Amino acid sequence: MPAPAVPATLDGVDLTALAAQLGTPLHAYSASAIRARIEGLQSALHGLDAGIRYAVKANSNLAVLQLMAAAGVGADIVSSGELRRCLHAGIPADRIVFSGVGKTEDEMTGALDAGIERFNVESHDELLTLQRIAQARGSVARAAVRINPDVDAQTHAKISTGKSENKFGVSIDEARRWFAGRARLSHVQLDGLHVHIGSQILSLQPYRLALARVADFWRELEQAGHPIRSIDVGGGLGVRYRAEEDQPIAAADYAAVIGEALAGYQGRLLLEPGRYLVAEAGILLTRVLRIKQGEERQFLVIDAAMNDLQRPSLYDAWHDIVPVVADPTRPMTRYDIVGPVCETGDTFARARELPECRAGDLLMIMATGAYGASMASTYNSRPLAAEAMLNQGRYAVIRRRQPFEEMIAGEQPARNWQTT
Ligand code: PLP
């Protein structure tokens, strides 16, 4: 007798029942899994004077940010929208760092007034702008220089940020000149270093290289009489998108590399993981709309699309895709798994082996908790999917499915023509 079909659960919640109640596509996150990741990293960092500043862009839902706040985790933000979300969710301003190459004057002013922990400054123009804004407001901005260490993170080119050809950070030579001119910065307290070399990093080697360069620079600065009170080592820790292949770095090994590279450093350490804390806690629940037999390929058309999860079309990213009800009697079948959007790029997987599917079957796209909902759009006028937080057998809707009226709110007929 074949083994019976087994319906999947996430954080104790039956996913078939959840999809029936909330509809699909649906982003679902396990609160227990997020907490476990936070606690795992916090305990790996035990003994170091270190704080986690969650990279909000990975998943900026307020309920996720509230989980971070409750665990004592701060935030790494890149816009005033993210700042407002964090404050709204209860993350204290003095645990918020602000990164990004394109901070506007308004954004800098807002962040300064809110009293954020630190600006991660990415260009000389930004440094001078920060000085001017802080001086005008009679306050002092705490700042770190984002170093571009020219290290290859050995990841996808579009999420690699630490090579000299990338737009992020400044060279050590340039940073050295900033510190040499520090006396002229009357309203910027430049006493931090920051580095972030990229995302989905699965090897410790790029971290070792980047941190070695940062450590050498920190020692040089200390000797030159520039005390460094904060070193922010960025994020980038990779996760398991491909269960059979990806080997993420263990938190303890990562912490050990940081500790070794920065041995003797007495100041505060900051870490900015995004994906690592939330990716594997999330799934995208989707239903099979139909099977379409093409001339050359068999297409599995699902109700999720590239607007709900961009990573496959944007980076050719792999996500495991598995049936919610595992039925061992179904033969393995090869499909191209595609969404309804009118782009060939709206493809989640090509030539993927799955147990044979039928219209109405539920599938889980795995490890979608990061850069899923936060990158979603309404392309093809598809409403933003609902999001649910799951916790030990219960669930809460943390974003309702977007009603049509909300999707078109703000749009209007071209009626009130004006001249400039
Ligand atoms: N820090 C900075 C400055 C970033 O730009 C990013 C991602 O783009 C992160 C942290 C988080 O990266 P990850 O989600 O890979 O940990």
Side-chain angles (χ1 to χ4, degrees):
M1 257 230 319
V6 189
T9 58
L10 179 65
D11 213 337
V13 175
D14 180 317
L15 294 175
T16 309
L18 187 73
Q21 287 178 27
L22 299 184
T24 53
L26 172 73
H27 286 283
Y29 315 116
S30 158
S32 305
I34 296 176
R35 276 193 223 98
R37 272 294 158 102
I38 298 170
E39 284 160 19
L41 189 54
Q42 283 172 333
S43 63
L45 294 167
H46 189 73
L48 297 171
D49 178 12
I52 302 174
R53 303 292 175 258
Y54 167 63
V56 171
K57 61 176 80 74
N59 187 326
S60 49
N61 188 291
L62 290 177
V64 172
L65 299 181
Q66 274 160 355
L67 270 183
M68 299 294 164
V73 169
D76 163 48
I77 60 160
V78 288
S79 70
S80 55
E82 287 190 351
L83 174 62
R84 291 180 68 174
R85 278 179 181 273
C86 290
L87 297 176
H88 199 73
I91 296 180
D94 64 4
R95 287 193 192 158
I96 296 177
V97 298
F98 194 173
S99 307
V101 294
K103 305 176 188 83
T104 66
E105 293 197 17
D106 278 352
E107 287 181 318
M108 288 192 228
T109 306
L112 193 60
D113 289 353
I116 66 160
E117 181 175 18
R118 203 166 269 280
F119 289 82
N120 290 331
V121 180
E122 307 226 13
S123 67
H124 194 237
D125 180 71
E126 183 190 332
L127 182 67
L128 297 184
T129 306
L130 189 58
Q131 155 73 17
R132 180 163 47 75
I133 292 172
Q135 185 162 25
R137 306 188 83 70
S139 52
V140 173
R142 286 171 294 273
V145 51
R146 177 166 176 179
I147 301 294
N148 182 321
D150 197 20
V151 165
D152 183 354
Q154 295 162 25
T155 184
H156 191 285
K158 287 190 184 164
I159 48 175
S160 183
T161 58
K163 294 276 293 163
S164 59
E165 71 211 43
N166 300 135
K167 68 179 173 180
F168 301 98
V170 302
S171 67
I172 286 178
D173 279 348
E174 175 165 350
R176 191 177 282 122
R177 291 196 290 276
W178 293 13
F179 279 95
R182 211 169 60 125
R184 288 193 294 277
L185 297 171
S186 55
H187 291 74
V188 174
Q189 184 182 312
L190 184 64
D191 59 0
L193 297 179
H194 174 228
V195 67
H196 171 73
I197 55 173
S199 266
Q200 186 52 14
I201 298 172
L202 295 171
S203 154
L204 280 168
Q205 199 50 19
Y207 281 119
R208 279 200 193 94
L209 268 176
L211 290 176
R213 288 183 191 165
V214 169
D216 284 348
F217 189 42
W218 147 62
R219 289 193 194 95
E220 174 191 324
L221 289 170
E222 292 272 347
Q223 275 173 10
H226 302 301
I228 297 301
R229 298 203 171 81
S230 163
I231 297 184
D232 182 334
V233 298
L237 274 180
V239 300
R240 186 170 280 133
Y241 284 118
R242 210 171 168 142
E244 318 242 302
E245 284 188 20
D246 293 338
Q247 293 295 336
I249 296 167
D253 295 341
Y254 177 57
V257 163
I258 297 172
E260 280 159 26
L262 297 170
Y265 172 66
Q266 301 287 324
R268 183 104 170 110
L269 277 170
L270 299 177
L271 289 81
E272 298 172 349
R275 176 187 325 261
Y276 181 79
L277 297 184
V278 292
E280 290 180 54
I283 59 164
L284 177 55
L285 263 182
T286 177
R287 213 174 271 286
V288 175
L289 293 174
R290 60 180 55 89
I291 289 108
K292 174 176 169 175
Q293 185 58 58
E295 285 297 312
E296 292 171 22
R297 316 177 75 85
Q298 180 157 227
F299 297 101
L300 191 64
V301 186
I302 59 177
D303 68 358
M306 61 189 282
N307 71 298
D308 304 303
L309 175 68
Q310 280 204 49
R311 297 189 67 260
S313 53
L314 204 56
Y315 316 125
D316 289 323
W318 176 288
H319 284 264
D320 285 339
I321 301 178
V322 292
V324 167
V325 180
D327 179 351
T329 64
R330 298 211 191 170
M332 293 306 277
T333 312
R334 184 169 293 176
Y335 299 106
D336 278 14
I337 304 174
V338 300
V341 159
C342 299
E343 304 241 0
T344 300
D346 186 22
T347 297
F348 290 106
R350 283 170 67 80
R352 189 72 69 88
E353 294 268 331
L354 271 187
E356 188 181 42
C357 289
R358 299 175 196 146
D361 282 352
L362 275 177
L363 299 176
M364 301 183 267
I365 306 182
M366 307 301 289
T368 54
Y371 307 103
S374 66
M375 287 178 112
S377 77
T378 57
Y379 185 43
N380 276 206
S381 287
R382 292 168 48 86
L384 294 177
E387 293 172 76
M389 187 69 82
L390 281 40
N391 190 21
Q392 297 172 22
R394 299 192 305 164
Y395 74 87
V397 175
I398 57 170
R399 176 186 191 105
R400 65 186 166 137
R401 193 170 302 284
Q402 189 179 38
F404 174 73
E405 291 67 29
E406 201 177 285
M407 185 172 20
I408 60 165
E411 296 178 32
Q412 54 193 6
R415 234 186 335 242
N416 299 320
W417 297 96
Q418 297 169 57
T419 52
T420 51

mmCIF file of all heavy atoms in Angstrom, residues 53 55 57-58 76 78 99-100 120 122 146 159 161 168 194-196 198-201 207 232 234-238 272-276 370-371, ligand 1:
data_model
loop_
_atom_site.group_PDB
_atom_site.id
_atom_site.type_symbol
_atom_site.label_atom_id
_atom_site.label_comp_id
_atom_site.label_asym_id
_atom_site.label_seq_id
_atom_site.Cartn_x
_atom_site.Cartn_y
_atom_site.Cartn_z
ATOM 1 N N ARG A 53 21.165 44.861 13.323
ATOM 2 C CA ARG A 53 20.367 45.917 12.678
ATOM 3 C C ARG A 53 19.758 45.295 11.423
ATOM 4 O O ARG A 53 20.386 45.282 10.354
ATOM 5 C CB ARG A 53 21.246 47.130 12.318
ATOM 6 C CG ARG A 53 21.986 47.739 13.516
ATOM 7 C CD ARG A 53 21.015 48.407 14.483
ATOM 8 N NE ARG A 53 21.665 48.888 15.690
ATOM 9 C CZ ARG A 53 21.620 48.263 16.873
ATOM 10 N NH1 ARG A 53 20.966 47.113 17.004
ATOM 11 N NH2 ARG A 53 22.198 48.787 17.921
ATOM 12 N N ALA A 55 18.138 44.394 8.082
ATOM 13 C CA ALA A 55 17.989 45.149 6.825
ATOM 14 C C ALA A 55 16.518 45.079 6.400
ATOM 15 O O ALA A 55 16.046 44.082 5.860
ATOM 16 C CB ALA A 55 18.901 44.571 5.755
ATOM 17 N N LYS A 57 14.718 46.204 4.108
ATOM 18 C CA LYS A 57 14.303 45.969 2.726
ATOM 19 C C LYS A 57 13.946 44.504 2.470
ATOM 20 O O LYS A 57 13.176 44.209 1.577
ATOM 21 C CB LYS A 57 15.403 46.429 1.767
ATOM 22 C CG LYS A 57 16.710 45.693 1.970
ATOM 23 C CD LYS A 57 17.752 46.095 0.952
ATOM 24 C CE LYS A 57 18.440 47.390 1.289
ATOM 25 N NZ LYS A 57 19.411 47.276 2.415
ATOM 26 N N ALA A 58 14.518 43.593 3.253
ATOM 27 C CA ALA A 58 14.264 42.169 3.007
ATOM 28 C C ALA A 58 12.780 41.835 3.191
ATOM 29 O O ALA A 58 12.194 41.071 2.417
ATOM 30 C CB ALA A 58 15.121 41.313 3.942
ATOM 31 N N ASP A 76 18.418 48.457 9.789
ATOM 32 C CA ASP A 76 19.212 49.136 8.760
ATOM 33 C C ASP A 76 18.213 49.585 7.707
ATOM 34 O O ASP A 76 17.515 48.761 7.120
ATOM 35 C CB ASP A 76 20.229 48.150 8.161
ATOM 36 C CG ASP A 76 20.793 48.634 6.833
ATOM 37 O OD1 ASP A 76 21.200 49.803 6.768
ATOM 38 O OD2 ASP A 76 20.824 47.845 5.869
ATOM 39 N N VAL A 78 17.007 52.300 4.322
ATOM 40 C CA VAL A 78 17.548 52.968 3.137
ATOM 41 C C VAL A 78 16.601 54.044 2.593
ATOM 42 O O VAL A 78 16.806 54.530 1.488
ATOM 43 C CB VAL A 78 17.855 51.954 2.003
ATOM 44 C CG1 VAL A 78 19.066 51.113 2.337
ATOM 45 C CG2 VAL A 78 16.659 51.074 1.717
ATOM 46 N N SER A 99 21.590 53.509 5.535
ATOM 47 C CA SER A 99 22.527 53.251 4.437
ATOM 48 C C SER A 99 21.930 53.740 3.125
ATOM 49 O O SER A 99 20.758 54.098 3.061
ATOM 50 C CB SER A 99 22.804 51.739 4.317
ATOM 51 O OG SER A 99 23.210 51.190 5.542
ATOM 52 N N GLY A 100 22.728 53.693 2.062
ATOM 53 C CA GLY A 100 22.210 53.991 0.721
ATOM 54 C C GLY A 100 22.924 55.151 0.064
ATOM 55 O O GLY A 100 23.271 56.131 0.730
ATOM 56 N N ASN A 120 25.308 55.701 7.561
ATOM 57 C CA ASN A 120 26.382 55.036 6.833
ATOM 58 C C ASN A 120 26.592 55.837 5.543
ATOM 59 O O ASN A 120 25.823 55.720 4.599
ATOM 60 C CB ASN A 120 26.018 53.577 6.537
ATOM 61 C CG ASN A 120 26.024 52.737 7.810
ATOM 62 O OD1 ASN A 120 26.763 53.037 8.763
ATOM 63 N ND2 ASN A 120 25.223 51.693 7.844
ATOM 64 N N GLU A 122 28.031 57.282 2.090
ATOM 65 C CA GLU A 122 28.535 56.565 0.910
ATOM 66 C C GLU A 122 29.236 57.447 -0.109
ATOM 67 O O GLU A 122 29.684 56.946 -1.138
ATOM 68 C CB GLU A 122 27.372 55.841 0.228
ATOM 69 C CG GLU A 122 26.576 54.950 1.180
ATOM 70 C CD GLU A 122 26.287 53.578 0.611
ATOM 71 O OE1 GLU A 122 26.881 53.208 -0.398
ATOM 72 O OE2 GLU A 122 25.459 52.874 1.213
ATOM 73 N N ARG A 146 31.122 54.220 4.637
ATOM 74 C CA ARG A 146 30.972 52.888 4.032
ATOM 75 C C ARG A 146 32.150 52.644 3.110
ATOM 76 O O ARG A 146 32.349 53.334 2.115
ATOM 77 C CB ARG A 146 29.672 52.776 3.246
ATOM 78 C CG ARG A 146 29.546 51.412 2.564
ATOM 79 C CD ARG A 146 28.164 51.145 2.072
ATOM 80 N NE ARG A 146 28.093 49.885 1.355
ATOM 81 C CZ ARG A 146 26.966 49.409 0.831
ATOM 82 N NH1 ARG A 146 25.850 50.090 0.945
ATOM 83 N NH2 ARG A 146 26.965 48.263 0.197
ATOM 84 N N ILE A 159 23.554 41.492 -7.077
ATOM 85 C CA ILE A 159 23.499 41.695 -5.627
ATOM 86 C C ILE A 159 24.906 41.716 -5.028
ATOM 87 O O ILE A 159 25.112 41.482 -3.851
ATOM 88 C CB ILE A 159 22.587 40.649 -4.922
ATOM 89 C CG1 ILE A 159 22.898 39.228 -5.375
ATOM 90 C CG2 ILE A 159 21.121 40.982 -5.161
ATOM 91 C CD1 ILE A 159 22.112 38.153 -4.623
ATOM 92 N N THR A 161 28.000 44.070 -4.094
ATOM 93 C CA THR A 161 28.080 45.507 -3.804
ATOM 94 C C THR A 161 29.460 45.963 -3.346
ATOM 95 O O THR A 161 29.650 47.143 -3.063
ATOM 96 C CB THR A 161 27.072 45.878 -2.687
ATOM 97 O OG1 THR A 161 27.386 45.092 -1.522
ATOM 98 C CG2 THR A 161 25.644 45.620 -3.089
ATOM 99 N N PHE A 168 28.526 51.466 -4.567
ATOM 100 C CA PHE A 168 28.437 51.584 -3.107
ATOM 101 C C PHE A 168 29.758 51.947 -2.437
ATOM 102 O O PHE A 168 30.818 51.478 -2.847
ATOM 103 C CB PHE A 168 27.931 50.263 -2.511
ATOM 104 C CG PHE A 168 26.592 49.879 -3.055
ATOM 105 C CD1 PHE A 168 26.478 48.969 -4.088
ATOM 106 C CD2 PHE A 168 25.442 50.472 -2.556
ATOM 107 C CE1 PHE A 168 25.241 48.642 -4.615
ATOM 108 C CE2 PHE A 168 24.205 50.148 -3.082
ATOM 109 C CZ PHE A 168 24.105 49.234 -4.111
ATOM 110 N N HIS A 194 31.890 51.101 8.008
ATOM 111 C CA HIS A 194 30.798 50.242 7.550
ATOM 112 C C HIS A 194 31.251 49.526 6.297
ATOM 113 O O HIS A 194 31.958 50.104 5.470
ATOM 114 C CB HIS A 194 29.573 51.132 7.245
ATOM 115 C CG HIS A 194 28.422 50.401 6.628
ATOM 116 N ND1 HIS A 194 27.760 50.870 5.518
ATOM 117 C CD2 HIS A 194 27.807 49.240 6.954
ATOM 118 C CE1 HIS A 194 26.780 50.031 5.193
ATOM 119 N NE2 HIS A 194 26.784 49.041 6.052
ATOM 120 N N VAL A 195 30.818 48.281 6.151
ATOM 121 C CA VAL A 195 31.118 47.544 4.923
ATOM 122 C C VAL A 195 29.969 46.573 4.657
ATOM 123 O O VAL A 195 29.406 46.002 5.591
ATOM 124 C CB VAL A 195 32.484 46.788 5.061
ATOM 125 C CG1 VAL A 195 32.423 45.678 6.098
ATOM 126 C CG2 VAL A 195 32.954 46.235 3.721
ATOM 127 N N HIS A 196 29.560 46.470 3.409
ATOM 128 C CA HIS A 196 28.551 45.463 3.036
ATOM 129 C C HIS A 196 28.876 45.047 1.603
ATOM 130 O O HIS A 196 28.747 45.844 0.686
ATOM 131 C CB HIS A 196 27.127 46.047 3.120
ATOM 132 C CG HIS A 196 26.090 45.121 2.539
ATOM 133 N ND1 HIS A 196 25.691 43.971 3.178
ATOM 134 C CD2 HIS A 196 25.427 45.154 1.365
ATOM 135 C CE1 HIS A 196 24.797 43.337 2.425
ATOM 136 N NE2 HIS A 196 24.624 44.036 1.319
ATOM 137 N N GLY A 198 27.696 42.431 -0.302
ATOM 138 C CA GLY A 198 26.719 41.801 -1.194
ATOM 139 C C GLY A 198 25.814 40.855 -0.444
ATOM 140 O O GLY A 198 25.866 40.765 0.783
ATOM 141 N N SER A 199 24.992 40.174 -1.220
ATOM 142 C CA SER A 199 23.936 39.341 -0.647
ATOM 143 C C SER A 199 24.078 37.880 -1.063
ATOM 144 O O SER A 199 24.735 37.584 -2.062
ATOM 145 C CB SER A 199 22.594 39.839 -1.169
ATOM 146 O OG SER A 199 22.022 40.746 -0.289
ATOM 147 N N GLN A 200 23.382 37.033 -0.307
ATOM 148 C CA GLN A 200 23.364 35.589 -0.591
ATOM 149 C C GLN A 200 24.799 35.050 -0.695
ATOM 150 O O GLN A 200 25.188 34.376 -1.652
ATOM 151 C CB GLN A 200 22.534 35.306 -1.858
ATOM 152 C CG GLN A 200 22.308 33.836 -2.202
ATOM 153 C CD GLN A 200 21.742 33.011 -1.056
ATOM 154 O OE1 GLN A 200 21.267 33.524 -0.049
ATOM 155 N NE2 GLN A 200 21.790 31.699 -1.148
ATOM 156 N N ILE A 201 25.571 35.366 0.351
ATOM 157 C CA ILE A 201 26.967 34.922 0.401
ATOM 158 C C ILE A 201 27.025 33.568 1.124
ATOM 159 O O ILE A 201 26.496 33.415 2.227
ATOM 160 C CB ILE A 201 27.832 35.981 1.130
ATOM 161 C CG1 ILE A 201 27.781 37.288 0.333
ATOM 162 C CG2 ILE A 201 29.261 35.487 1.307
ATOM 163 C CD1 ILE A 201 28.439 38.465 1.028
ATOM 164 N N TYR A 207 34.060 37.373 3.266
ATOM 165 C CA TYR A 207 33.957 38.100 4.545
ATOM 166 C C TYR A 207 35.350 38.283 5.151
ATOM 167 O O TYR A 207 35.691 39.351 5.648
ATOM 168 C CB TYR A 207 33.076 37.331 5.536
ATOM 169 C CG TYR A 207 31.594 37.488 5.285
ATOM 170 C CD1 TYR A 207 30.808 36.387 5.000
ATOM 171 C CD2 TYR A 207 30.986 38.737 5.343
ATOM 172 C CE1 TYR A 207 29.438 36.516 4.786
ATOM 173 C CE2 TYR A 207 29.628 38.878 5.133
ATOM 174 C CZ TYR A 207 28.856 37.773 4.852
ATOM 175 O OH TYR A 207 27.512 37.912 4.640
ATOM 176 N N ASP A 232 30.426 48.440 11.478
ATOM 177 C CA ASP A 232 29.223 47.768 10.977
ATOM 178 C C ASP A 232 29.673 46.844 9.861
ATOM 179 O O ASP A 232 30.185 47.297 8.829
ATOM 180 C CB ASP A 232 28.263 48.854 10.458
ATOM 181 C CG ASP A 232 26.948 48.305 9.952
ATOM 182 O OD1 ASP A 232 26.918 47.144 9.530
ATOM 183 O OD2 ASP A 232 25.963 49.065 9.958
ATOM 184 N N GLY A 234 27.864 44.877 8.014
ATOM 185 C CA GLY A 234 26.901 44.657 6.935
ATOM 186 C C GLY A 234 26.117 43.367 7.088
ATOM 187 O O GLY A 234 26.055 42.764 8.164
ATOM 188 N N GLY A 235 25.499 42.973 5.977
ATOM 189 C CA GLY A 235 24.690 41.747 5.988
ATOM 190 C C GLY A 235 25.223 40.785 4.948
ATOM 191 O O GLY A 235 26.423 40.693 4.761
ATOM 192 N N GLY A 236 24.307 40.094 4.290
ATOM 193 C CA GLY A 236 24.712 39.258 3.162
ATOM 194 C C GLY A 236 24.707 37.768 3.401
ATOM 195 O O GLY A 236 24.876 36.998 2.455
ATOM 196 N N LEU A 237 24.549 37.348 4.657
ATOM 197 C CA LEU A 237 24.575 35.908 4.940
ATOM 198 C C LEU A 237 23.562 35.184 4.060
ATOM 199 O O LEU A 237 22.386 35.531 4.040
ATOM 200 C CB LEU A 237 24.198 35.662 6.399
ATOM 201 C CG LEU A 237 25.301 35.740 7.444
ATOM 202 C CD1 LEU A 237 24.712 35.475 8.826
ATOM 203 C CD2 LEU A 237 26.411 34.735 7.135
ATOM 204 N N GLY A 238 24.023 34.163 3.367
ATOM 205 C CA GLY A 238 23.162 33.443 2.431
ATOM 206 C C GLY A 238 22.240 32.445 3.123
ATOM 207 O O GLY A 238 22.441 32.081 4.284
ATOM 208 N N GLU A 272 24.111 43.697 9.842
ATOM 209 C CA GLU A 272 22.890 44.073 9.115
ATOM 210 C C GLU A 272 22.323 42.918 8.294
ATOM 211 O O GLU A 272 22.134 43.056 7.078
ATOM 212 C CB GLU A 272 23.200 45.207 8.130
ATOM 213 C CG GLU A 272 23.684 46.483 8.737
ATOM 214 C CD GLU A 272 24.157 47.469 7.655
ATOM 215 O OE1 GLU A 272 24.297 47.082 6.487
ATOM 216 O OE2 GLU A 272 24.377 48.620 7.998
ATOM 217 N N PRO A 273 22.024 41.790 8.902
ATOM 218 C CA PRO A 273 21.454 40.713 8.094
ATOM 219 C C PRO A 273 20.015 41.049 7.707
ATOM 220 O O PRO A 273 19.285 41.663 8.480
ATOM 221 C CB PRO A 273 21.478 39.512 9.049
ATOM 222 C CG PRO A 273 21.377 40.119 10.408
ATOM 223 C CD PRO A 273 22.086 41.453 10.327
ATOM 224 N N GLY A 274 19.635 40.681 6.504
ATOM 225 C CA GLY A 274 18.242 40.828 6.083
ATOM 226 C C GLY A 274 17.683 39.450 5.813
ATOM 227 O O GLY A 274 17.013 38.836 6.639
ATOM 228 N N ARG A 275 18.073 38.944 4.643
ATOM 229 C CA ARG A 275 17.596 37.646 4.164
ATOM 230 C C ARG A 275 17.755 36.525 5.207
ATOM 231 O O ARG A 275 16.861 35.697 5.380
ATOM 232 C CB ARG A 275 18.439 37.344 2.922
ATOM 233 C CG ARG A 275 18.273 36.071 2.261
ATOM 234 C CD ARG A 275 19.325 35.908 1.146
ATOM 235 N NE ARG A 275 19.675 37.108 0.448
ATOM 236 C CZ ARG A 275 19.192 37.471 -0.744
ATOM 237 N NH1 ARG A 275 18.345 36.682 -1.365
ATOM 238 N NH2 ARG A 275 19.575 38.586 -1.310
ATOM 239 N N TYR A 276 18.899 36.517 5.881
ATOM 240 C CA TYR A 276 19.192 35.424 6.809
ATOM 241 C C TYR A 276 18.119 35.286 7.897
ATOM 242 O O TYR A 276 17.802 34.195 8.332
ATOM 243 C CB TYR A 276 20.567 35.680 7.459
ATOM 244 C CG TYR A 276 20.992 34.618 8.426
ATOM 245 C CD1 TYR A 276 21.517 33.417 7.968
ATOM 246 C CD2 TYR A 276 20.862 34.806 9.804
ATOM 247 C CE1 TYR A 276 21.886 32.423 8.862
ATOM 248 C CE2 TYR A 276 21.247 33.825 10.700
ATOM 249 C CZ TYR A 276 21.755 32.629 10.214
ATOM 250 O OH TYR A 276 22.116 31.656 11.103
ATOM 251 N N ALA A 370 12.151 36.674 2.269
ATOM 252 C CA ALA A 370 12.960 37.869 2.023
ATOM 253 C C ALA A 370 12.864 38.259 0.559
ATOM 254 O O ALA A 370 12.906 37.389 -0.321
ATOM 255 C CB ALA A 370 14.425 37.606 2.377
ATOM 256 N N TYR A 371 12.783 39.552 0.296
ATOM 257 C CA TYR A 371 12.747 40.067 -1.070
ATOM 258 C C TYR A 371 11.628 39.414 -1.882
ATOM 259 O O TYR A 371 11.765 39.159 -3.069
ATOM 260 C CB TYR A 371 14.131 39.911 -1.743
ATOM 261 C CG TYR A 371 15.235 40.513 -0.913
ATOM 262 C CD1 TYR A 371 16.095 39.718 -0.155
ATOM 263 C CD2 TYR A 371 15.374 41.898 -0.833
ATOM 264 C CE1 TYR A 371 17.086 40.278 0.645
ATOM 265 C CE2 TYR A 371 16.360 42.463 -0.041
ATOM 266 C CZ TYR A 371 17.212 41.650 0.702
ATOM 267 O OH TYR A 371 18.182 42.207 1.491
HETATM 268 N N1 PLP B 1 23.049 46.153 4.416
HETATM 269 C C1 PLP B 1 23.021 46.857 3.281
HETATM 270 C C2 PLP B 1 23.696 48.176 3.245
HETATM 271 C C3 PLP B 1 22.352 46.365 2.153
HETATM 272 O O1 PLP B 1 22.337 47.080 1.018
HETATM 273 C C4 PLP B 1 21.714 45.097 2.222
HETATM 274 C C5 PLP B 1 21.026 44.535 1.066
HETATM 275 O O2 PLP B 1 20.929 45.055 -0.006
HETATM 276 C C6 PLP B 1 21.756 44.412 3.446
HETATM 277 C C7 PLP B 1 22.427 44.959 4.511
HETATM 278 C C8 PLP B 1 21.073 43.094 3.632
HETATM 279 O O3 PLP B 1 21.516 42.107 2.783
HETATM 280 P P1 PLP B 1 21.044 40.630 3.033
HETATM 281 O O4 PLP B 1 19.564 40.612 2.953
HETATM 282 O O5 PLP B 1 21.669 39.857 1.947
HETATM 283 O O6 PLP B 1 21.545 40.221 4.382
#
